[in-house]
């Protein structure tokens, strides 16, 4: 049964929710789908990965497609209609995996997928406030129910906090100058739009550093988006929740798009695969923890040249996967 929890169904005059399904065949292969298994797509988006999972399931199998974006929920519900006997669509964050499964009476799963990227729809739909290349109200919320938006971050965070998130989440080396410029400009009047914020950031970066192929506001916008949506906070808990729910032989596959996400996934997988947490100088293990997963991908899987030609936005994507043992 498809359970569509959004109040905004997709209609003919709504911009189509589009999201190129990055590393599609690679991630489906990594999940090693069993026809009668139970799978969770934690980031359903437009339904691309979910569709490929659902069509591999028998009538005994089940797919739970989760997304926090109401537009994605509407699009995925429509896309997955042919599999209504085996698919449930839920509006939630994948960090709530355990609760979603509990509510649906599911105590074990066979696979879990996360595509951590922001969707093409979110980037290209100016009114969502994600893009530095257009002028729109500052927002950047993947879940519009979230009380924190980009406007609040930009106008209410202290200069020190702004500097921290720009440096930590955007790896922006000019974070002190950008944070100072934001505070200075918002004292004149609140910063309300992506266009104005983009210009403030650009002006704060030295002219010699504005060249190099990337928009000067790219890293700062990424940092603010990560802060608004707690993108780094939810990855490790979700992976650990999936491992707890996973049947032996089940798989977790995660697609990331920048080094901060990838590092969290790599370290979490390594922790689950190593088991023992005793200090290295201990002669024997006293914690008793055993490995619970093994690597499926020894190294991150990267997009093919064909995919990069079709979708340049996938150039930073990396896929890692593990199997429950």
């Amino acid at each position: 049964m498809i359970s569509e929890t959004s109040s905004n169904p997709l209609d003919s005059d709504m911009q189509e929710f589009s999201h190129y399904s990055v590393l599609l065949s690679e991630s489906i292969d990594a999940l090693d789908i069993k026809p009668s298994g139970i799978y969770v797509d934690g980031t359903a988006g437009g339904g691309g990965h979910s569709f490929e999972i659902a069509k591999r399931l028998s009538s005994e199998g089940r797919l739970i497609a989760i997304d926090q974006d109401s537009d994605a929920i509407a699009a995925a519900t429509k896309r997955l209609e042919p599999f209504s006997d085996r698919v449930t669509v839920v509006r939630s964050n994948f960090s709530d995996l355990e609760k979603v499964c509990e509510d649906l009476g599911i105590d074990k799963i066979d696979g879990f997928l996360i595509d951590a990227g922001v969707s093409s729809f979110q980037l290209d739909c100016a009114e969502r406030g994600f893009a530095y290349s257009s002028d729109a109200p500052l927002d950047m919320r993947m879940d519009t129910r979230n009380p924190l938006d980009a406007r609040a971050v930009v106008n209410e965070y202290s200069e020190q906090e702004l500097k921290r998130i720009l440096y930590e989440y955007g790896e922006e080396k000019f974070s002190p100058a950008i944070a100072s410029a934001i505070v200075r400009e918002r004292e004149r009047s609140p910063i309300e739009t992506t266009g104005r914020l983009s210009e403030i950031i650009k002006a704060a970066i030295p002219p010699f550093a504005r060249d190099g192929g990337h928009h000067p506001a790219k890293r700062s916008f990424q940092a603010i988006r990560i802060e608004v949506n707690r993108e780094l906070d939810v990855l490790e808990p979700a992976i650990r929740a999936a491992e707890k729910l996973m049947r032996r032989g089940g798989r977790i596959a995660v697609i990331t798009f920048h080094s901060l996400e990838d590092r969290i996934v790599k370290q979490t997988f390594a922790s689950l695969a190593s088991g023992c947490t005793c200090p290295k100088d201990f002669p024997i293990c006293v914690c008793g923890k055993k490995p619970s997963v093994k690597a499926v991908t020894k190294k991150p899987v990267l997009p093919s040249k064909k995919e990069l030609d079709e979708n340049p936005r996938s150039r930073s994507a990396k896929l890692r996967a593990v199997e429950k043992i």
Side-chain angles (χ1 to χ4, degrees), residues 100-119:
V100 169
C101 288
E102 181 182 353
D103 289 347
L104 294 173
I106 296 170
D107 58 2
K108 290 292 180 182
I109 62 175
D110 296 281
F112 180 58
L113 173 66
I114 297 174
D115 173 359
V118 62
S119 72

Side-chain angles (χ1 to χ4, degrees), residues 3 14 124 130 163:
S3 173
M14 175 182 174
D124 296 337
F130 284 93
K163 183 171 69 172

Side-chain angles (χ1 to χ4, degrees), residues 16-90:
E16 181 183 0
F17 190 105
S18 62
H19 180 51
Y20 185 103
S21 298
V22 174
L23 292 165
L24 179 58
S25 62
E26 293 88 347
S27 57
I28 297 301
D29 288 345
L31 288 173
D32 190 27
I33 295 167
K34 303 175 182 66
S36 60
I38 299 176
Y39 293 85
V40 179
D41 183 351
T43 44
H49 290 104
S50 287
F51 187 92
E52 292 300 319
I53 295 171
K55 80 178 188 181
R56 287 165 170 78
L57 299 177
S58 69
S59 58
E60 298 177 351
R62 190 172 185 186
L63 169 67
I64 314 304
I66 300 171
D67 208 285
Q68 60 184 327
D69 188 307
S70 61
D71 292 332
I73 286 293
T77 299
K78 184 175 182 180
R79 180 80 183 272
L80 297 169
E81 279 178 354
F83 310 107
S84 59
D85 62 328
R86 68 199 70 167
V87 173
T88 304
V89 181
V90 179

Side-chain angles (χ1 to χ4, degrees), residues 7 18 24 71 101 103 113 152 208 234-235 245 249 292 302 306 321:
S7 59
S18 62
L24 179 58
D71 292 332
C101 288
D103 289 347
L113 173 66
F208 72 85
V234 296
L235 273 173
L245 288 164
S292 60
L302 306 178
K306 179 177 182 294

Side-chain angles (χ1 to χ4, degrees), residues 191-244:
I191 301 168
E192 305 278 1
T193 67
T194 55
R196 186 178 173 209
L197 177 61
S198 181
E199 288 302 313
I200 292 168
I201 294 168
K202 182 178 179 181
I205 295 177
F208 72 85
R210 296 176 193 165
D211 298 325
H214 296 303
H215 192 286
K218 178 179 180 180
R219 289 182 294 272
S220 296
F221 269 61
Q222 171 186 293
I224 295 167
R225 190 199 79 221
I226 289 172
E227 174 69 11
V228 168
N229 296 289
R230 301 188 305 113
E231 293 174 40
L232 301 184
D233 297 338
V234 296
L235 273 173
E236 181 176 355
I239 291 170
R240 291 190 179 275
E243 183 274 328
K244 285 173 58 180

